[in-house]
Amino acid sequence: MNQSPSKSLLSIEGMTKHELEEILELTDTFDEIGRRPIPKVPALRGRTVATLFFEDSTRTRLSFETAARRLSADTMSFSAGSSSLSKGESIRDTVEVIEAYGADLLVVRHPAAGTAQRIDNWTNASVINAGDGCHEHPTQALLDAYTLRKHKGSLEGLRIAIVGDILHSRVARSDVLAFSMLGAEVVLVAPPTLLPPSIEGWPVEISYNLDEILPTIDVCYLLRVQNERINEGLIPSVREYVTDYGLNVKRASTLPKDALICHPGPTNRGIEIEAAVAADPRSVILDQVANGVSIRMAILFLLLGSGRNLMEDADVEVNQ
Amino acid sequence: MIEKERGQAPPFGGVFVAHARVLDSEDIQRAIQRMAHEIVERNHGLENVVLIGLQTGGVVVAEMLAEALKEINGSHPPLGTLDVALHRDDIGMRPVMPEAVTDISVDLDGATIVIADDVLYTGRTIRAALDALCDFGRPKEIQLAVMVDRGHRELPIRPDYVGKNLPTRKDEVVDVSSEGVDLGRIEK
Amino acid sequence: MTLVIRGGTVVDQNGEQEADVKISEDGSILEIDKNLKGDQELDASGCVVTAGFVDLHSHLREPGQEDAETIQTGSRGGALGGYTALVAMPNTTPTMDCLAVIDQVRGLGQESICEVIPTAAMTVDRKGEQMAPMGELVDAGVGIFTDDGNGLQDPRLMRRIMEYSTGLTHRLGRPIILAQHCEIEALSCGGYMHEGAWSSRLGIPGQPAEAEELMVSRDIALVRLTGAHMHFQHLSTAGSVEMVRKAKEEGLPVTAEATTHHFSLTDAACASYDPVFKVHPPLRTDEDVKAVKAGLADGTIDAIATDHAPHTDHSKEKSFSEAPPGMLGLQTAFSITLEESGLDIHQIFSLMSWRPAVIAGIADRHGMTVSPGSRANLCVIDLNETWTVSGKSMASLSSNTPYEGRRLRGYVRHTIQAGEAVVIDGEAQR
């Protein structure tokens, strides 16, 4: 992926292990800020963060807006239905209008892969990819890695199973890249129709047998399965999916005692996860949500506040 | 300390080269002892006093003061550390990165905070610290202890406890460690 | 007024010779010899002089999408690329499925600097449901029928159209050609690029090679059954090329074309997510590109076509999924072929001019030998001069070329259309 280094965060692909680790370490600072009585710092005062969501997602949008506000940035939000986009304005036109309103950074979610990349080419503002079709969702992978790091210390040597509709999952793609870069082993568990047509070059194992995999892993990462997949003829029925791939109480008991259960949310209780299992103490699903704000603060700060993209010959003045 | 800060934040970088040792380790210890006594005297004891060291240079000063206060008073006051990077007034104008996580685990409402830092120069770091601390609660009073006051203030900030007053030129750099205080410059 | 092309090397089916070409004012070649003189003279020193190219597959967008291209601007682009005839695809608005629209296109074509050969749709409005009035259209001179833009999905209707077309041969004087855009929509559905390692990595839904190959296989079987003549458009996969090879060995009446982008670009180009690389059939893998080149070299593929598909900047400034598929091709076709195909000039001229002229039924005036009596539809090309591709400076109203910024060899200096010099020194004259 070609993202201008330090200008935008478009994908995990193209990042280095060092860059990932730097973000994770920086997040500790923002995590602490979230625990203060007044969880706010003036770091991005005067900067404007615009969310541009062509696909509904209240949770992710709120997470980004909260992160921006905690850094004292101003926020603007545009969503597909309500804007002139539906009136035939092209994406590029919309981006130019938003830039004219003074946005320094665009958080973009779109149902088509590559949109954040294209927007990044068209604008001088920074761009964060909040999910582009089935391609990537880099901030999700970062918050997942941060959550695992918090609970396990490091991802080195962890065996992580990602279970569910991998084919349509941008979260899975970003997680595969981030987890393996940080030293984890990744197993994809799904029926053949829910796996990508080609995993050539992907650093993963494949299994169609969840029961065989569960006792061997440190982390069970569950993905949502949507009803549309039945209409597309990818699986016979939800019932069969739940029987073969759902994490029910019986299966949860075969999962090692110190394993973790993750989900990018929102969960479909009774489908990929039985309601009782969602409350299992090994579940870190709520931590993932909380960590999402901290991770996004770290990324917003890196892109807008850290000054990484300033010219090398900036005024060097010792500020003691 | 200073090298690390510079190393972290491009386009700094370069190495501190000392030209003169202004205080040696014994001088530092004497200064610490004196300041500790001043703190106890001014606050009529150590009730409600909280010591907060600024990352990264002030942390060792705070730790040394805490040790000295323990000798005088029997126990040392609660100790915290604060990274003020995110409250700086030059964010966006130059590279800025937090270096350590803030750790303040005591309630600051009604507390008498003594901020400890290594060098007081323009005063902007202290202004950022005051800003940050007010987000933690409403302290009764905030006081400032520094190992070295090198002048050239740009804001109306003054220290309550000073290890050494050291007039300097703007192009010079002051480095403080438990070994001593050096005057020199940064060489790339 | 006579026109003389001086100082070039004449290249045609009979070989090569250094000679001047003299053209009469009625548009036919008078003389081939050295040191000829005429009223108008064009310098061809250092160049080859050969029959103008014939594109079996151009979308000229008129009527209906004149913001993207018109017959006039498309022809200009063609002439600048060395083309003297363009076979116009029928997916216009309204569709070219009736006399009225065919006549309109022919009329507009008469004013332009390429000869425009209209095709007609196989089915009414290209809906794939009902046969178009083929007899009436054949009488009006249409020799190629295609639903291009889409393949004909219903095998039963395809069979009927094939059978019906064989009964029209005597009215046209030669077999009717049915041209197929091979794509089984039930398999390609929702696929915007080639399904494979790259589509999985990029997260773009893909269409498998089988979506094309199954229709190629089906139509070969139906040709065997009915005896109709099928021309396979834009072959893009190794499997398709191999099937056509076997069908020809069997002696079946099939012909095939491949586009320049299908032997010069692969699916890796989509990594930028720039929809300029979005096309149906999609850019495929290295193996497929190799197979297409081999098919061009051994005669399995009869013609190089462009599938010239102009789209406005506005329409391509969308996400990869939403943007319309298609790329420009007329002005870059010869240069790309020269640089990337691995073929020699004779093979190239055969694929770009001689064979397509026969397939289009216009060999009486295009793709002819450069000899006295032949119609003067010629181009003059400097094989060594280079030029840089720039979408904005092309004759097309659109600029969606996948070769933007590339420096290419092979510069068309002059183009002669029916005896008229319509391109002189790289400039279209009208």
Side-chain angles (χ1 to χ4, degrees):
Chain A
M1 271 279 83
N2 40 340
Q3 53 203 352
S4 339
S6 348
K7 180 196 177 229
S8 295
L9 176 67
L10 302 173
S11 60
I12 301 287
E13 186 169 352
M15 289 181 74
T16 63
K17 181 174 179 183
H18 174 81
E19 286 168 329
L20 282 186
E21 285 174 341
E22 184 186 49
I23 293 177
L24 296 178
E25 274 169 36
L26 185 59
T27 302
D28 285 333
T29 296
F30 295 97
D31 192 56
E32 181 271 321
I33 290 171
R35 286 182 260 120
R36 295 185 189 177
I38 300 183
K40 208 168 163 101
V41 291
L44 296 187
R45 207 160 51 98
R47 310 308 289 275
T48 302
V49 171
T51 57
L52 184 53
F53 275 47
F54 295 86
E55 222 181 51
D56 264 329
S57 162
T58 317
R59 293 150 43 99
T60 307
R61 187 170 55 79
L62 284 182
S63 180
F64 271 104
E65 287 178 2
T66 305
R69 293 204 195 111
R70 284 194 182 168
L71 292 166
S72 300
D74 294 320
T75 60
M76 280 194 283
S77 79
F78 296 84
S79 50
S82 64
S83 77
S84 49
L85 256 163
S86 26
K87 296 176 201 144
E89 191 182 57
S90 73
I91 299 181
R92 186 169 190 171
D93 293 333
T94 306
V95 167
E96 281 171 9
V97 166
I98 295 174
E99 253 192 305
Y101 279 125
D104 297 296
L105 184 147
L106 306 181
V107 177
V108 180
R109 172 174 284 199
H110 194 282
T115 305
Q117 163 80 55
R118 303 214 71 212
I119 290 179
D120 185 49
N121 292 340
W122 293 330
T123 178
N124 290 324
S126 296
V127 177
I128 295 179
N129 178 11
D132 60 333
C134 302
H135 178 227
E136 285 218 37
H137 190 357
T139 58
Q140 178 72 44
L142 286 165
L143 75 87
D144 289 337
Y146 184 71
T147 305
L148 295 180
R149 177 178 168 272
K150 250 192 164 174
H151 284 274
K152 295 282 188 181
S154 143
L155 277 79
E156 199 72 46
L158 279 188
R159 192 164 152 79
I160 305 176
I162 303 182
V163 184
D165 185 359
I166 314 280
L167 175 61
H168 298 96
S169 173
R170 52 189 170 220
V171 171
R173 272 176 186 73
S174 292
D175 277 337
V176 164
L177 291 168
F179 295 165
S180 55
M181 225 189 289
L182 292 167
E185 255 173 58
V186 180
V187 184
L188 299 180
V189 183
T193 47
L194 292 181
L195 288 168
S198 161
I199 48 142
E200 192 187 303
W202 291 41
V204 300
E205 276 168 57
I206 299 278
S207 169
Y208 308 133
N209 188 338
L210 181 60
D211 294 305
E212 201 175 69
I213 293 292
L214 282 175
T216 70
I217 54 179
D218 302 299
V219 179
C220 182
Y221 195 108
L222 301 165
L223 298 173
R224 277 169 65 81
V225 169
Q226 293 160 289
N227 280 320
E228 293 95 86
R229 306 309 166 210
I230 305 159
N231 296 336
E232 288 167 26
L234 292 167
I235 49 178
S237 64
V238 171
R239 193 167 144 271
E240 183 151 325
Y241 179 84
V242 171
T243 310
D244 294 343
Y245 294 94
L247 188 66
N248 51 34
V249 173
K250 181 155 174 280
R251 286 202 170 105
S253 69
T254 66
L255 197 56
K257 297 224 172 348
D258 58 353
L260 300 175
I261 299 170
C262 303
H263 192 299
T267 52
N268 277 334
R269 308 260 160 125
I271 301 185
E272 65 263 6
I273 188 169
E274 201 175 318
V277 177
D280 188 306
R282 290 169 295 185
S283 159
V284 295
I285 298 174
L286 290 175
D287 289 349
Q288 286 173 276
V289 176
N291 291 331
V293 177
S294 307
I295 273 278
R296 287 167 178 134
M297 286 174 78
I299 294 163
L300 285 171
F301 178 74
L302 266 177
L303 293 177
L304 285 183
S306 69
R308 284 292 179 76
N309 48 356
L310 290 177
M311 300 302 286
E312 280 272 314
D313 47 27
D315 204 40
V316 178
E317 198 190 285
V318 175
N319 194 10
Q320 294 182 285
Chain B
M1 283 171 246
I2 293 182
E3 278 144 11
K4 184 173 167 226
E5 178 172 346
R6 300 232 175 77
Q8 286 259 10
F12 296 124
V15 174
F16 173 74
V17 175
H19 294 165
R21 170 141 286 181
V22 176
L23 293 178
D24 65 24
S25 58
E26 280 181 19
D27 295 325
I28 290 189
Q29 278 310 314
R30 269 180 237 124
I32 291 283
Q33 287 292 326
R34 174 180 43 80
M35 288 198 282
H37 277 103
E38 287 172 357
I39 291 171
V40 172
E41 185 183 31
R42 160 104 177 248
N43 295 302
H44 308 290
L46 287 180
E47 202 181 314
N48 288 327
V49 169
V50 176
L51 257 184
I52 306 242
L54 299 190
Q55 293 284 6
T56 45
V59 174
V60 74
V61 175
E63 283 166 357
M64 289 195 284
L65 280 175
E67 272 303 302
L69 287 169
K70 185 168 167 189
E71 277 169 40
I72 300 170
N73 209 47
S75 64
H76 69 70
L79 190 52
T81 60
L82 176 65
D83 186 311
V84 303
L86 299 172
H87 289 264
R88 286 172 60 149
D89 61 7
D90 57 355
I91 286 182
M93 293 196 278
R94 55 136 55 106
V96 169
M97 278 289 267
E99 282 149 47
V101 186
T102 294
D103 180 11
I104 296 179
S105 40
V106 63
D107 187 5
L108 297 184
D109 276 338
T112 297
I113 298 176
V114 177
I115 298 175
D117 205 3
D118 53 349
V119 180
L120 176 59
Y121 182 29
T122 60
R124 292 184 189 273
T125 304
I126 305 303
R127 183 214 64 80
L130 292 176
D131 217 25
L133 288 170
C134 289
D135 284 344
F136 283 85
R138 191 175 185 280
K140 171 161 162 284
E141 197 179 336
I142 300 180
Q143 298 166 1
L144 175 61
V146 296
M147 181 55 68
V148 172
D149 178 349
R150 63 174 288 198
H152 301 291
R153 212 79 74 236
E154 289 172 6
L155 296 175
I157 303 264
R158 54 116 190 87
D160 298 283
Y161 314 101
V162 182
K164 174 122 182 111
N165 280 299
L166 186 65
T168 57
R169 290 195 316 269
K170 279 191 170 182
D171 63 329
E172 287 176 314
V173 174
V174 178
D175 178 75
V176 173
S177 71
S178 51
E179 320 286 302
V181 174
D182 296 326
L183 195 56
R185 23 169 73 84
I186 295 286
E187 272 165 40
K188 295 237 161 135
Chain C
M1 219 181 64
T2 53
L3 166 63
V4 171
I5 304 174
R6 307 205 58 197
T9 304
V10 171
V11 178
D12 70 3
Q13 291 88 327
N14 297 324
E16 290 185 25
Q17 52 171 316
E18 282 177 27
D20 299 344
V21 178
K22 186 165 181 175
I23 300 164
S24 82
E25 56 184 41
D26 74 355
S28 52
I29 298 180
L30 277 178
E31 232 186 307
I32 312 278
D33 205 340
K34 297 219 193 238
N35 297 313
L36 295 174
K37 296 253 181 295
D39 302 311
Q40 186 188 7
E41 291 183 0
L42 291 178
D43 176 39
S45 43
C47 296
V48 302
V49 181
T50 187
F53 305 135
V54 173
D55 188 17
L56 290 176
H57 198 138
S58 275
H59 294 272
L60 300 178
R61 301 297 188 214
E62 195 174 13
Q65 286 176 66
E66 292 85 351
D67 52 348
E69 193 81 289
T70 63
I71 289 176
Q72 192 180 62
T73 60
S75 297
R76 224 173 262 145
L80 287 167
Y83 285 90
T84 50
L86 303 177
V87 175
M89 291 295 111
N91 58 336
T92 49
T93 311
T95 307
M96 286 157 68
D97 64 1
C98 60
L99 272 184
V101 184
I102 298 287
D103 281 343
Q104 180 190 14
V105 169
R106 264 220 191 92
L108 288 164
Q110 255 139 31
E111 308 297 311
S112 65
I113 60 177
C114 267
E115 183 173 346
V116 175
I117 315 292
T119 58
M122 287 194 272
T123 63
V124 173
D125 207 17
R126 296 186 317 108
K127 283 212 175 88
E129 289 165 8
Q130 193 195 345
M131 249 194 255
M134 289 174 71
E136 185 177 67
L137 292 161
V138 163
D139 286 341
V142 174
I144 301 177
F145 291 82
T146 175
D147 276 0
D148 182 58
N150 299 84
L152 210 166
Q153 304 298 309
D154 181 358
R156 185 167 63 164
L157 182 56
M158 190 66 240
R159 178 205 178 156
R160 296 294 172 228
I161 289 174
M162 282 180 169
E163 285 175 342
Y164 194 78
S165 74
T166 59
L168 295 170
T169 310
H170 66 283
R171 297 219 330 236
L172 186 64
R174 61 178 193 275
I176 310 305
I177 296 192
L178 302 170
Q180 190 79 278
H181 164 117
C182 293
E183 184 186 326
I184 302 262
E185 282 160 18
L187 277 181
S188 71
C189 64
Y192 309 115
M193 65 176 284
H194 175 69
E195 183 185 279
W198 271 103
S199 71
S200 300
R201 190 170 147 187
L202 298 175
I204 296 179
Q207 44 171 288
E210 286 74 7
E212 173 177 305
E213 290 165 2
L214 279 178
M215 195 178 275
V216 174
S217 160
R218 177 196 83 178
D219 285 351
I220 288 175
L222 291 177
V223 162
R224 200 180 285 118
L225 180 63
T226 62
H229 185 122
M230 175 63 76
H231 173 76
F232 291 106
Q233 296 176 309
H234 43 51
L235 287 186
S236 69
T237 81
S240 300
V241 175
E242 183 54 25
M243 284 191 270
V244 171
R245 189 176 280 124
K246 294 233 158 50
K248 283 186 166 186
E249 278 165 18
E250 198 186 315
L252 293 175
V254 300
T255 52
E257 73 189 36
T259 66
T260 46
H261 45 270
H262 285 117
F263 63 78
S264 62
L265 295 168
T266 64
D267 54 352
C270 301
S272 66
Y273 292 102
D274 189 341
V276 81
F277 298 107
K278 179 177 180 181
V279 64
H280 291 330
L283 301 176
R284 306 272 189 193
T285 67
D286 285 310
E287 281 66 48
D288 296 309
V289 167
K290 280 204 194 85
V292 168
K293 284 184 179 171
L296 288 167
D298 73 5
T300 300
I301 303 176
D302 302 87
I304 290 174
T306 64
D307 197 1
H308 178 82
H311 288 289
T312 58
D313 289 347
H314 181 88
S315 69
K316 283 283 197 178
E317 256 164 24
K318 298 196 171 113
S319 66
F320 199 88
S321 327
E322 297 164 316
M327 17 177 106
L328 296 183
L330 289 170
Q331 279 181 254
T332 48
F334 177 74
S335 295
I336 290 291
T337 303
L338 188 63
E339 296 245 14
E340 306 267 355
S341 65
L343 304 166
D344 65 49
I345 308 264
H346 292 264
Q347 288 174 299
I348 294 176
F349 292 156
S350 169
L351 289 160
M352 288 187 73
S353 176
W354 311 337
R355 293 283 301 133
V358 171
I359 292 170
I362 54 177
D364 60 335
R365 49 199 194 274
H366 293 271
M368 304 181 79
T369 56
V370 185
S371 38
S374 295
R375 201 101 182 97
N377 283 312
L378 303 166
C379 60
V380 177
I381 308 176
D382 186 333
L383 298 177
N384 298 308
E385 190 171 336
T386 60
W387 60 289
T388 304
V389 180
S390 156
K392 292 269 174 268
S393 40
M394 285 183 161
S396 174
L397 293 176
S398 303
S399 44
N400 53 317
T401 171
Y403 306 109
E404 183 70 36
R406 274 189 68 173
R407 198 154 181 78
L408 299 175
R409 257 188 325 121
Y411 180 70
V412 174
R413 203 181 281 174
H414 315 298
T415 306
I416 319 296
Q417 167 68 235
E420 180 193 348
V422 292
V423 171
I424 298 180
D425 288 320
E427 303 262 325
Q429 298 301 298
R430 59 181 173 89

